[in-house]
Amino acid sequence: MPKKLKKTGKQGGDLFPDSSTLNRLRDHDRKLEAEIAHKIGELFQAAKLDLTTLPDGGRARPGDLLFKRTDFGQERRYIIDCVQEINPATVKRAYEDFRYSLDMYKRQDFDEYWLVGARSVGNPMRKRPENDRRFRALDLKELEALLATPKSKRGAATTRIGKAVQANEKEINLAINGLILQIDARLEALNGERPNSDDGRARVSQETSDFERMKAELERIREMVAAFKKSKASEKEVVTATKTFRQGVEEWWTNKSGEIITSTAKGAVLVSSIGLLALMKADSVAAITAVAAVVNGGAIQKAKQIGTAIKRLGKQALAADDDGAVQ
């Protein structure tokens, strides 16, 4: 408990705190807020999320802590302001500082502002003043529940691709690594070519671009698979990355089928790509047809088994999930 405030002879005996008492009160408040920040840090650590301590930015940049996360390939930044209590006064003060910081700068370095207190007292004003979706106030229990949401859904894959990733993670990573090695070898060969004609140089440039794009998409899938395994990426992000790669492979086949059929190296890359998609339950009629064309030297119409496969996959397409594993 703070000491009694000194009595002065002024103002008819009113009580006024002296400077040393004010300093002790401020130090006490800072200590309590530091303890709250520590508890917040423990909650984020349990949720496997990283926090950064922010320097004092005053009203121009309120907040004590920062955490970042990636949503749909874009980084989002969340400022956390630590207080002892969530009450009308703290919410009003925090929202005013939040609005002041928005008015001061046209470009913001955060997407949401969270006021977090050890507890909520009484019946504070609305926790989202003016229904501002960038501002929220919550106590430690509410924060714990919020951070626990991803953990409760861990392992609950619902799409064909998500389930395949959970079941075949090691095999998928091996397939990706092997395919990247094939692409690197192809890029190295292209880098060694020195065509004299404009057409030749344009061909090398286009092929290099195709393989570099394919490699980047594979690295993205590998990154999302690893993050999904650790519950740091959503199932939707894995599905999106896989679909993007599949679309690129199919477009490559559509535009360059003649070259792919007559090139051993390109044909091998195509077959390995479709093999990876099959492992991830993301193959399609177009993809299977492309592989059959390569394996059979382009004689698609003569291969009865291809027609059978297409019919089978067509039936599966009708019952496929929303993840588009078969189209």
Side-chain angles (χ1 to χ4, degrees):
M1 294 290 294
K3 291 183 178 180
K4 276 190 174 182
L5 305 180
K6 288 185 177 180
K7 196 171 191 179
T8 72
K10 301 177 182 179
Q11 304 292 331
D14 290 340
L15 296 178
F16 295 94
D18 60 19
S19 60
S20 62
T21 301
L22 282 173
N23 288 334
R24 281 195 296 272
L25 289 171
R26 292 191 187 100
D27 289 342
H28 179 69
D29 289 345
R30 281 194 288 264
K31 183 179 179 181
L32 288 176
E33 289 174 1
E35 291 175 356
I36 295 166
H38 180 72
K39 292 178 181 178
I40 292 172
E42 290 179 337
L43 292 177
F44 273 81
Q45 185 176 21
K48 297 183 178 181
L49 295 170
D50 295 326
L51 274 180
T52 302
T53 301
L54 293 172
D56 185 6
R59 294 191 74 198
R61 206 280 305 128
D64 304 303
L65 305 169
L66 169 71
F67 86 94
K68 308 172 188 176
R69 63 175 294 172
T70 300
D71 288 333
F72 303 114
Q74 295 291 326
E75 181 185 83
R76 290 185 60 82
R77 298 161 64 90
Y78 301 79
I79 293 287
I80 298 177
D81 198 356
C82 306
V83 293
Q84 298 175 46
E85 294 180 349
I86 302 296
N87 58 49
T90 56
V91 172
K92 183 176 184 296
R93 186 273 307 165
Y95 188 70
E96 288 175 351
D97 288 351
F98 163 72
R99 290 302 317 174
Y100 179 82
S101 70
L102 295 181
D103 294 338
M104 282 289 293
Y105 301 103
K106 292 182 179 179
R107 294 185 61 188
Q108 296 304 313
D109 61 352
F110 62 89
D111 297 285
E112 287 190 28
Y113 175 97
W114 293 6
L115 181 69
V116 180
R119 57 193 174 276
S120 292
V121 176
N123 184 24
M125 63 184 287
R126 284 187 303 153
K127 293 187 177 182
R128 274 191 173 150
E130 300 180 16
N131 200 29
D132 195 323
R133 294 184 179 275
R134 293 165 297 179
F135 181 96
R136 72 166 75 183
L138 57 164
D139 59 34
L140 289 176
K141 289 184 178 179
E142 292 170 323
L143 177 64
E144 183 177 11
L146 181 67
L147 296 179
T149 301
K151 292 174 64 179
S152 65
K153 294 183 179 179
R154 187 173 297 173
T158 57
T159 63
R160 288 165 58 86
I161 292 174
K163 293 174 182 177
V165 167
Q166 289 181 329
N168 306 315
E169 182 198 3
K170 291 182 180 179
E171 293 83 355
I172 288 170
N173 281 324
L174 286 173
I176 291 174
N177 293 339
L179 185 49
I180 288 176
L181 286 175
Q182 287 180 264
I183 292 173
D184 282 339
R186 189 61 197 148
L187 287 170
E188 185 177 354
L190 287 167
N191 189 48
E193 293 188 26
R194 296 292 185 270
N196 295 321
S197 67
D198 291 341
D199 288 345
R201 286 190 289 271
R203 175 188 60 79
V204 169
S205 177
Q206 183 59 54
E207 287 191 22
T208 300
S209 177
D210 288 340
F211 284 116
E212 286 179 342
R213 173 191 51 75
M214 193 178 294
K215 180 180 178 180
E217 290 171 356
L218 287 167
E219 289 173 340
R220 174 65 176 170
I221 293 175
R222 183 167 59 186
E223 176 188 351
M224 288 298 98
V225 167
F228 179 52
K229 180 72 173 180
K230 298 176 183 178
S231 296
K232 291 187 176 182
S234 67
E235 184 176 1
K236 187 172 183 178
E237 289 175 292
V238 179
V239 172
T240 299
T242 306
K243 282 184 173 182
T244 299
F245 175 68
R246 182 183 66 192
Q247 182 179 357
V249 170
E250 292 179 347
E251 288 178 355
W252 183 47
W253 166 252
T254 299
N255 297 328
K256 303 292 177 63
S257 56
E259 297 176 16
I260 296 171
I261 287 175
T262 57
S263 169
T264 301
K266 294 178 186 177
V269 170
L270 178 72
V271 172
S272 296
S273 298
I274 305 307
L276 170 64
L277 291 171
L279 190 60
M280 298 185 73
K281 302 297 183 185
D283 48 349
S284 65
V285 172
I288 295 296
T289 303
V291 169
V294 172
V295 172
N296 290 280
I300 300 177
Q301 300 300 326
K302 296 180 181 179
K304 292 182 180 180
Q305 63 268 32
I306 297 173
T308 302
I310 290 175
K311 289 180 181 179
R312 174 175 56 82
L313 289 168
K315 291 179 180 179
Q316 291 179 0
L318 297 176
D321 317 18
D322 289 340
D323 65 6
V326 179
Q327 290 184 358

